[in-house]
Amino acid sequence: MTKTPTITFEGPVCPVPLRHNKSIVMGHGSGGKMTEDLIRQVFQKNFSNSFLDAGNDFASVQMPGPGGHLSISTDAHIVSPIFFPGGDIGKLAICGTVNDMSMSGAIPLYLTASFILEEGLDIDILEQVVISMQESANEAGVLVIAGDTKVVEKGKGDGIFISTTGIGWISDDKVIGGEKAQPGDAVIISGTIGDHGIAVLTARGEFSLESSVRSDVAPLNHMIAEILKVAPDTHVLRDPTRGGLATTLNEIARQSKVGIIIHEESIPITNAVQSTCELLGFDPLYVANEGKLIVIAPDVRKNEILEIIRNTKYGNHAAIIGEVVERNSEKVILKTQIGTSRILDVMAGEMLPRIC
Amino acid sequence: MTKTPTITFEGPVCPVPLRHNKSIVMGHGSGGKMTEDLIRQVFQKNFSNSFLDAGNDFASVQMPGPGGHLSISTDAHIVSPIFFPGGDIGKLAICGTVNDMSMSGAIPLYLTASFILEEGLDIDILEQVVISMQESANEAGVLVIAGDTKVVEKGKGDGIFISTTGIGWISDDKVIGGEKAQPGDAVIISGTIGDHGIAVLTARGEFSLESSVRSDVAPLNHMIAEILKVAPDTHVLRDPTRGGLATTLNEIARQSKVGIIIHEESIPITNAVQSTCELLGFDPLYVANEGKLIVIAPDVRKNEILEIIRNTKYGNHAAIIGEVVERNSEKVILKTQIGTSRILDVMAGEMLPRIC
């Protein structure tokens, strides 16, 4: 930890040295000396790169071009609690946005992060989150190039909220998107479902549940890069986050105007997630994931893709779970283990609030 | 207003039609059907463009290139109250980010917006804010291409927080930045100072003040484009937001390793702002602006630049207020009306919390 700095001061307002007062106070959001100290001692120290260090209100960056497009994505993160088995709000904020922009087949390059802090937040907790962000950014190979910090009064926020925006680069020959699924395509999932939602839920302690479930939060860009090497003709990449696998497949079915059939017995799920869901009456198909990938690609590619995914860090339990069909346009059908079929709709309201 | 939609439903959770319940509920942040309805009926309806309408988790955009850099900036907005004389949180969120990225001389192109809504927020208020965002985006000539919405429980937020990130394009020949001020340069301000901070403060009603002060919140990119036409050799552009004119000039002095002298009698300020500041013991040099521009450029350009600014929509009261000097490196000196000098430091803590 940084030692308490001595601040000399000639301005109109009384100063509070950053590490003397170990909590966030309103002055840390003022844009003045306290904000500057917080930026230097917590953000720049951990995110350090030439773009941030320049100290302008903008970061000026180059793209790997020539040509190509930008892939841009944004997310607000409000997970409660801030720390949970397998991750924290910082890891989630980086991975969530890295994953969203990677779903176009883009190479993720740059992230911005804006923080809304609640007065009274322990600065050590903030720093732990920032360190976790930098670790995830390192793993994904992206830079946090611009940021902002605001502070709200105690009771007007909840510790830390983080909004991240990602900027990636796509070569002009990439044509991946939710509207590209074709009848005959195979549907692959990169691993077990429901881990993130259940991990966060049990971390809250509301249900006096004990569970060994850890969040799957992880950056998926390296897995995607491997897939696109062997299957550049992949049609859809999508991470089933809020709303889970069922809601995400519905979005794809609607965008592509196709039907999707999935087979219950082929969907990977751990016993711990399955039993917790049964206990609480949740359907794991609607529980959020933060490190899983849906791949929709021509059927002839499915075995190669499966093998590639299984050889990546986060893909051990990948499985082929279904196929795209022409009939039942815009519907997702679950073939159950007992041989019946049911329509999976999108999730309506809220099953597990504040899981990302 | 949209009429109440009929939602048919076959999923695991009970639906709430968006306009039946006129307030934000937790389900609006679920990523399911309610989120989708909110996006369609409030966000897509008002921000409509092909990027958002594509419905992917990323927006794929092209830059005007070839060559050039991206200028990227991010801001969280937590202003309280949400509406104030001259603007609202939506106008602020768009203008703040348009202005930040314009300070590099970039052409602002795209914005992302992430919303953190408090349960119980009136959806009509949200829509009013979104409409205001789109009006400001239209004026600035930018598109909101990606967004995200999360909902927190009542008492864990404060109505609406909005984080915006901007992506602009700079041609490779632009070399504008806070580190470019040169001894001999002139310092110009585009109008009166302190209006935004005082307008928000009086809108809170805490001081039983009556005041005619309106926020100056405005997009400055068109003004900047005009300036750069006549003075492409401009060294620094910066908007004096949180921390006010004094704090912003200090940042520039430090980045450029120069001294800056400003002359009190030349700084434009309205009588209303001046008298409110005197009443409350505030120094207007530290009060936030949201539609003002500091220009630092070679002395020979100052009269041309002043004339150009005065001819723009938001520049009637522009003035030359000082000069960059070699001595007193990294210090900002105020020459007062009575002939004395004083060092202006950066603001330390918080004078006016939650003004942006």
Side-chain angles (χ1 to χ4, degrees):
Chain A
M1 293 283 89
T2 315
K3 64 181 182 175
T4 307
T6 314
I7 296 175
T8 56
F9 178 72
E10 314 174 56
V13 182
C14 183
V16 184
L18 179 58
R19 292 291 177 174
H20 179 221
N21 187 323
K22 296 272 285 177
S23 296
I24 290 293
V25 299
M26 294 304 289
H28 286 125
S30 65
K33 201 185 282 276
M34 291 184 67
T35 306
E36 200 184 287
D37 288 338
L38 186 70
I39 290 172
R40 204 173 50 242
Q41 295 177 31
V42 177
F43 296 112
Q44 279 189 346
K45 180 177 133 198
N46 292 294
F47 289 143
S48 183
N49 61 61
S50 61
F51 305 108
L52 262 193
D53 296 350
N56 285 308
D57 281 343
F58 55 85
S60 169
V61 297
Q62 258 184 317
M63 287 287 114
H69 282 62
L70 301 185
S71 174
I72 294 164
S73 186
T74 194
D75 266 306
H77 302 276
I78 57 162
V79 66
S80 171
I82 291 172
F83 299 93
F84 47 82
D88 59 72
I89 192 170
K91 186 174 184 183
L92 197 62
I94 298 292
C95 295
T97 296
V98 162
N99 292 348
D100 276 350
M101 67 179 136
S102 303
M103 297 304 147
S104 60
I107 301 164
L109 296 171
Y110 304 116
L111 288 182
T112 67
S114 88
F115 295 81
I116 298 174
L117 307 177
E118 185 188 11
E119 186 185 18
L121 174 74
D122 189 317
I123 291 176
D124 288 342
I125 287 181
L126 175 63
E127 182 155 21
Q128 226 177 305
V129 167
V130 168
I131 289 169
S132 169
M133 291 177 78
Q134 185 54 38
E135 284 171 0
S136 296
N138 281 343
E139 184 184 345
V142 297
L143 291 175
V144 178
I145 56 163
D148 187 44
T149 309
K150 297 283 157 64
V151 180
V152 294
E153 302 87 346
K154 204 163 177 57
K156 300 290 185 184
D158 195 13
I160 308 181
F161 300 146
I162 308 174
S163 288
T164 38
T165 299
I167 297 108
W169 183 83
I170 333 172
S171 67
D172 286 324
D173 58 349
K174 290 275 189 325
V175 281
I176 292 167
E179 74 288 1
K180 302 287 182 194
Q182 300 284 331
D185 283 355
V187 180
I188 300 166
I189 183 88
S190 67
T192 56
I193 63 164
D195 302 79
H196 177 72
I198 297 303
V200 173
L201 189 70
T202 52
R204 281 184 205 154
E206 284 164 12
F207 297 99
S208 320
L209 280 175
E210 298 228 359
S211 142
S212 57
V213 179
R214 290 170 63 82
S215 167
D216 59 344
V217 55
L220 296 170
N221 55 317
H222 301 309
M223 180 192 289
I224 290 172
E226 292 300 315
I227 293 168
L228 295 181
K229 269 187 222 161
V230 301
D233 53 348
T234 293
H235 291 147
V236 183
L237 298 166
R238 186 72 66 92
D239 53 340
T241 55
R242 280 185 297 180
L245 181 64
T247 303
T248 306
L249 288 176
N250 265 283
E251 288 165 11
I252 298 167
R254 189 156 348 137
Q255 280 181 274
S256 292
K257 299 185 184 11
V258 294
I260 294 176
I261 295 172
I262 58 171
H263 304 276
E264 193 173 23
E265 84 283 355
S266 62
I267 299 169
I269 180 164
T270 65
N271 290 335
V273 168
Q274 183 75 56
S275 58
T276 308
C277 280
E278 278 168 16
L279 210 61
L280 299 173
F282 290 146
D283 185 339
L285 293 168
Y286 292 88
V287 177
N289 311 279
E290 287 291 343
K292 291 296 153 19
L293 177 66
I294 297 168
V295 184
I296 298 184
D299 189 72
V300 293
R301 295 288 195 195
K302 68 184 176 193
N303 293 319
E304 291 174 279
I305 293 174
L306 187 67
E307 201 190 316
I308 282 287
I309 296 178
R310 284 186 173 165
N311 282 326
T312 63
K313 185 172 176 187
Y314 301 112
N316 298 344
H317 301 287
I320 297 161
I321 58 169
E323 57 271 350
V324 178
V325 294
E326 200 146 7
R327 64 187 186 281
N328 294 313
S329 183
E330 309 198 10
K331 286 202 171 42
V332 179
I333 310 285
L334 180 75
K335 298 270 189 193
T336 67
Q337 285 167 320
I338 54 167
T340 61
S341 292
R342 79 178 159 98
I343 293 176
L344 294 178
D345 203 344
V346 301
M347 190 168 71
E350 186 58 278
M351 195 159 60
L352 300 171
R354 298 190 57 185
I355 43 78
C356 62
Chain B
M1 294 283 86
T2 315
K3 63 180 182 178
T4 306
T6 314
I7 297 176
T8 57
F9 178 70
E10 314 174 56
V13 182
C14 182
V16 184
L18 180 59
R19 292 290 177 175
H20 179 219
N21 185 322
K22 296 271 285 175
S23 296
I24 291 292
V25 299
M26 293 305 288
H28 286 124
S30 65
K33 202 185 279 277
M34 291 184 67
T35 305
E36 200 183 288
D37 288 338
L38 186 71
I39 290 172
R40 204 174 49 243
Q41 294 177 30
V42 177
F43 296 112
Q44 279 189 347
K45 180 177 135 197
N46 292 293
F47 289 145
S48 183
N49 61 60
S50 60
F51 305 108
L52 262 193
D53 295 349
N56 285 309
D57 281 343
F58 56 85
S60 170
V61 298
Q62 258 184 319
M63 286 289 113
H69 283 63
L70 301 184
S71 174
I72 294 166
S73 186
T74 194
D75 266 306
H77 301 275
I78 57 162
V79 67
S80 170
I82 290 171
F83 299 93
F84 47 82
D88 58 72
I89 193 169
K91 186 174 184 183
L92 197 62
I94 298 291
C95 296
T97 296
V98 162
N99 292 347
D100 276 350
M101 68 179 135
S102 303
M103 297 304 148
S104 59
I107 302 163
L109 296 170
Y110 304 116
L111 288 183
T112 67
S114 88
F115 294 82
I116 298 173
L117 307 178
E118 186 189 12
E119 185 185 17
L121 174 75
D122 190 317
I123 291 176
D124 288 343
I125 287 182
L126 175 63
E127 183 155 21
Q128 226 177 305
V129 168
V130 169
I131 289 168
S132 169
M133 290 177 79
Q134 185 53 37
E135 284 171 0
S136 296
N138 280 343
E139 183 183 345
V142 297
L143 292 175
V144 178
I145 56 163
D148 187 44
T149 308
K150 296 283 157 65
V151 180
V152 293
E153 302 88 343
K154 203 161 178 60
K156 300 289 184 185
D158 195 14
I160 308 180
F161 300 145
I162 308 174
S163 287
T164 39
T165 299
I167 297 109
W169 184 83
I170 331 172
S171 68
D172 286 323
D173 58 348
K174 289 273 190 328
V175 282
I176 292 167
E179 74 288 1
K180 301 288 182 195
Q182 300 283 330
D185 283 355
V187 180
I188 300 166
I189 183 90
S190 68
T192 57
I193 63 164
D195 302 79
H196 177 72
I198 297 303
V200 173
L201 189 71
T202 52
R204 282 185 204 152
E206 285 164 11
F207 297 99
S208 319
L209 280 173
E210 298 229 358
S211 143
S212 56
V213 179
R214 290 171 64 82
S215 167
D216 59 343
V217 55
L220 295 170
N221 56 316
H222 300 310
M223 179 192 288
I224 289 172
E226 292 299 316
I227 293 169
L228 295 182
K229 268 188 223 160
V230 300
D233 53 349
T234 292
H235 291 147
V236 182
L237 298 166
R238 186 71 66 93
D239 53 340
T241 54
R242 281 186 296 178
L245 181 64
T247 302
T248 306
L249 288 176
N250 266 282
E251 289 166 10
I252 298 167
R254 189 155 350 137
Q255 281 181 273
S256 293
K257 299 187 184 8
V258 295
I260 294 175
I261 294 171
I262 58 170
H263 304 275
E264 193 173 24
E265 84 282 356
S266 63
I267 299 168
I269 180 165
T270 65
N271 290 337
V273 168
Q274 183 75 56
S275 58
T276 308
C277 281
E278 278 168 15
L279 210 61
L280 299 173
F282 291 143
D283 184 339
L285 292 169
Y286 291 88
V287 176
N289 311 279
E290 289 290 343
K292 291 295 150 29
L293 177 66
I294 297 169
V295 184
I296 298 186
D299 189 73
V300 293
R301 295 288 195 196
K302 69 183 178 195
N303 293 320
E304 290 173 281
I305 293 173
L306 187 68
E307 200 190 317
I308 282 286
I309 297 178
R310 284 187 174 164
N311 282 327
T312 63
K313 185 171 175 188
Y314 301 112
N316 298 345
H317 301 286
I320 297 161
I321 59 168
E323 57 272 351
V324 178
V325 295
E326 200 145 6
R327 63 188 186 281
N328 294 312
S329 180
E330 308 197 10
K331 287 203 169 40
V332 178
I333 310 282
L334 179 75
K335 298 270 188 191
T336 66
Q337 285 169 319
I338 54 167
T340 60
S341 292
R342 80 179 159 98
I343 293 175
L344 294 178
D345 202 344
V346 302
M347 190 168 71
E350 187 56 279
M351 195 159 60
L352 300 171
R354 299 190 55 187
I355 43 79
C356 62

